[in-house]
Amino acid sequence: MAGTGPTRWTGKWALVTGASAGIGMAIAQQLASGRTNLVVTSRRTERLTALASDLKAKNGVKVEIFTADLAHPGAAREIYAFTSGKGIEVGLLVNNAGFGAYGYTHEIAEERLLEMVRLNCSTVVELTRLYLPSMVQRRHGDIMIVASTAAFQPVPFISAYAATKAFDLSFAEGPAEEVRRFGVRVSALCPGPTTTEFQEVAQQPDRAFKAAESAEKVARVGLEGLARGESCVISGTRNRWMIRSERLAPRSFIAKMAAKVIGPPEN
């Protein structure tokens, strides 16, 4: 019987995108502690090299690094060619790389918004489509897509980000049902505010992160949920109750409340 949590992938290979910080790094660390071999990717070679050395020294696992900006066309296929060329059978794909942008939609640079859509959505689709067929063929494999609690409702001032995460959630839950019969699991991990570099990159105000969870907790909850076969995993009791209560309210009301919580002061 397969283990629950990181031990489910003991001795197998996992590919983790956006592994140089935050939730991606925490997932890589917890997988390594369960003796999972890793391919870690991000744009930052120095951080990946340091992470790989640390994971190998502490856990005795194999770690391969691949530096790539996954927002660039062709990057996903380059990673696939890298793992295929090394004969690595990826048993777990973690689509974690992503970012947000805070502000009025009409003031955020157009290219920044499009880059976000490419990374948060297009790359997720491409990597999933590249690795899923072999998982189906051998009738085992797992995919995690890191979404967000923002996926469940419109969120003004991070509107494009919330929309990309709604896409990610749907793209996890749909294929999860398609491939369940083949022994393959797909799960969306939906964290709320989390203590990572996300806030700094997105330039969101501190008030939106008052009840932030640790990346380590989010990673643990996500891996355990995926191992149990859950297609949607919401981290945190408070976040789960929030999502349930929001389903009872009009979406326009939810949008107004979200704008008051994270929006800039009205002049």
Side-chain angles (χ1 to χ4, degrees), residues 2 42 45 65 67 92 123 130 148 154 162 182 187 199 209 266:
S42 83
T45 304
I65 68 171
T67 305
L92 168 61
T123 297
L130 286 167
S148 168
F182 302 114
S187 179
Q199 180 187 7
F209 286 79
E266 296 184 10

Side-chain angles (χ1 to χ4, degrees), residues 204-244:
Q204 277 189 248
D206 290 339
R207 61 183 177 277
F209 286 79
K210 286 182 179 179
E213 294 187 302
S214 70
E216 291 72 23
K217 180 192 174 184
V218 171
R220 175 178 53 79
V221 169
L223 289 170
E224 290 175 351
L226 174 58
R228 287 193 299 268
E230 298 176 16
S231 61
C232 177
V233 180
I234 300 171
S235 180
T237 302
R238 178 177 178 273
N239 292 324
R240 287 193 293 274
W241 278 108
M242 180 185 70
I243 297 304
R244 289 170 185 167

Side-chain angles (χ1 to χ4, degrees), residues 45-213:
T45 304
E46 289 185 5
R47 286 196 181 189
L48 286 180
T49 301
L51 175 64
S53 297
D54 181 62
L55 296 181
K56 287 188 284 189
K58 289 181 178 177
N59 305 287
V61 296
K62 300 175 184 177
V63 184
E64 297 283 349
I65 68 171
F66 189 88
T67 305
D69 184 347
L70 283 171
H72 288 174
R77 190 161 290 277
E78 290 174 3
I79 292 173
Y80 181 73
F82 174 79
T83 58
S84 298
K86 287 186 171 289
I88 293 173
E89 181 183 288
V90 174
L92 168 61
L93 167 63
V94 180
N95 284 305
N96 167 74
F99 70 89
Y102 176 83
Y104 288 93
T105 302
H106 66 277
E107 293 180 348
I108 301 172
E110 178 184 345
E111 182 52 38
R112 186 66 170 165
L113 293 175
L114 294 176
E115 182 184 12
M116 188 196 311
V117 172
R118 286 194 295 269
L119 181 58
N120 295 10
C121 300
S122 299
T123 297
V124 170
V125 172
E126 189 171 6
L127 282 172
T128 300
R129 180 59 181 81
L130 286 167
Y131 286 99
L132 186 56
S134 60
M135 294 181 180
V136 170
Q137 185 177 23
R138 62 181 181 259
R139 291 187 172 266
H140 66 81
D142 301 288
I143 297 174
M144 177 191 290
I145 297 174
V146 179
S148 168
T149 53
F152 294 92
Q153 69 280 309
V155 187
F157 303 103
I158 55 168
S159 300
Y161 171 77
T164 66
K165 292 305 173 178
F167 176 92
D168 287 341
L169 173 59
S170 185
F171 188 66
E173 291 183 309
E177 194 57 38
E178 295 172 9
V179 300
R180 193 183 305 276
R181 69 192 69 181
F182 302 114
V184 178
R185 296 177 174 182
V186 183
S187 179
L189 170 58
C190 300
T194 308
T195 307
T196 68
E197 295 177 352
F198 176 89
Q199 180 187 7
E200 179 182 350
V201 174
Q203 297 183 331
Q204 277 189 248
D206 290 339
R207 61 183 177 277
F209 286 79
K210 286 182 179 179
E213 294 187 302

